[in-house]
Amino acid sequence: VTASGIEDYGNGWYRCWMTFTSDSADTSGALRIYVAEGDGDFTVDLDGTSSIFVWGAQLEAGAFPTSYIPTTTASVTRNADDVSTTDVSWYNEVGGTLYAEVVWLGGSGNVGASREAVSLGTTILNTMNVGRFAVDSRALAGMRKTVANTLTVASIFDDTDAHRLVLGASANDMEFYADGTRSGTGDQTDVEMPTSITNMTIGNRQGGSGAEWNGLIKEIRYYGQRFPDPTLLNLSLGQFP
């Protein structure tokens, strides 16, 4: 076993999980679920009335547990989780602030493409987004209006902790903070705001696949104004206006 955990899902339900690496010679085996006490064994003193419910057990190939995958009598290939909406009447073309609290679980290093946690826009060349930079796992913010993308990066992602990413932008005025750290590239002064946007996508980019977020997305917020830099800093520390 390489890792394990338990999450409180409310109303008396808990999600228990573990990951393990099998030996190349192990081609079969069994997984068992036991009722156990906190004394290091699975012998439980029965009282005649107590019980547990077990639901949604699954075994999957991967380095971390994903969301529930419904199956019946055969294995399935899980679909990528991404959510989109075309109700974007709240978007402000003059300026806005995009916030995302995320966990990256896909490993470090170059994974082939930058990965986007949330993206507002139409196509890949008309977007406002935050995510993770492919080259070296840094946090990423982008304003893509033309082929020449305006990107800025800050901080280094690890593979377990939640990170708060905040992008504030208006015409020729973009700033990015991650976990209380201002982007090392500084204020971007050549920014064009996306116009006539049609979608918000969570867990992928606009205009197709190839930038799937490989991890968890805990919270997304959008504010219809470009907040001052001190407010952006506070947001990246979890202090909301």
Side-chain angles (χ1 to χ4, degrees), residues 83 90 98-102 115-121 127-132 140 142 165 167 199-206 211 213 217 219-222:
V83 179
W90 37 264
L98 187 59
Y99 168 93
E101 184 176 358
V102 296
R115 306 290 165 152
E116 296 178 7
V118 58
S119 179
L120 303 174
T127 60
M128 174 181 188
N129 55 76
V130 295
R132 176 192 167 276
L140 166 72
L165 314 180
L167 167 63
N199 294 284
M200 176 180 73
T201 299
I202 299 173
N204 209 334
R205 75 167 123 200
Q206 300 295 330
W213 184 257
I217 301 174
E219 185 174 4
I220 299 292
R221 292 179 179 232
Y222 174 81

Side-chain angles (χ1 to χ4, degrees), residues 8-241:
D8 187 348
Y9 267 41
N11 297 322
W13 285 93
Y14 295 85
R15 187 191 194 203
C16 307
W17 60 271
M18 65 174 61
T19 59
F20 62 92
T21 302
S22 60
D23 186 272
S24 60
D26 292 334
T27 58
S28 63
L31 296 176
R32 299 174 181 176
I33 299 174
Y34 291 97
V35 180
E37 296 174 326
D39 57 3
D41 63 45
F42 51 85
T43 300
V44 177
D45 296 327
L46 303 180
D47 60 13
T49 59
S50 299
S51 64
I52 66 169
F53 292 102
V54 177
W55 179 87
Q58 68 185 38
L59 175 66
E60 56 184 312
F64 60 90
T66 66
S67 55
Y68 175 57
I69 308 171
T71 59
T72 53
T73 58
S75 62
V76 300
T77 300
R78 80 182 311 277
N79 295 320
D81 287 329
D82 61 71
V83 179
S84 64
T85 179
T86 57
D87 179 11
V88 289
S89 58
W90 37 264
Y91 174 74
N92 183 7
E93 294 185 358
V94 176
T97 299
L98 187 59
Y99 168 93
E101 184 176 358
V102 296
V103 179
W104 174 256
L105 296 172
S108 60
N110 194 328
V111 292
S114 294
R115 306 290 165 152
E116 296 178 7
V118 58
S119 179
L120 303 174
T122 51
T123 67
I124 191 174
L125 296 181
N126 188 42
T127 60
M128 174 181 188
N129 55 76
V130 295
R132 176 192 167 276
F133 195 45
V135 176
D136 53 12
S137 299
R138 287 184 290 175
L140 166 72
M143 300 291 290
R144 293 179 170 138
K145 184 66 175 174
T146 63
V147 175
N149 299 332
T150 300
L151 304 175
T152 183
V153 292
S155 265
I156 297 293
F157 267 112
D158 55 44
D159 294 347
T160 55
D161 293 334
H163 300 281
R164 295 184 174 94
L165 314 180
V166 182
L167 167 63
S170 59
N172 299 318
D173 182 17
M174 170 180 166
E175 195 71 84
F176 180 47
Y177 286 84
D179 299 333
T181 300
R182 180 173 177 264
S183 167
T185 57
D187 188 24
Q188 300 288 323
T189 59
D190 57 352
V191 176
E192 293 183 69
M193 293 294 295
T195 56
S196 302
I197 75 166
T198 56
N199 294 284
M200 176 180 73
T201 299
I202 299 173
N204 209 334
R205 75 167 123 200
Q206 300 295 330
S209 60
E212 297 87 352
W213 184 257
N214 197 358
L216 308 176
I217 301 174
K218 301 184 69 175
E219 185 174 4
I220 299 292
R221 292 179 179 232
Y222 174 81
Y223 300 91
Q225 59 180 303
R226 198 284 199 198
F227 285 135
D229 291 355
T231 304
L232 301 180
L233 171 61
N234 289 338
L235 271 172
S236 74
L237 295 172
Q239 302 168 16
F240 301 106

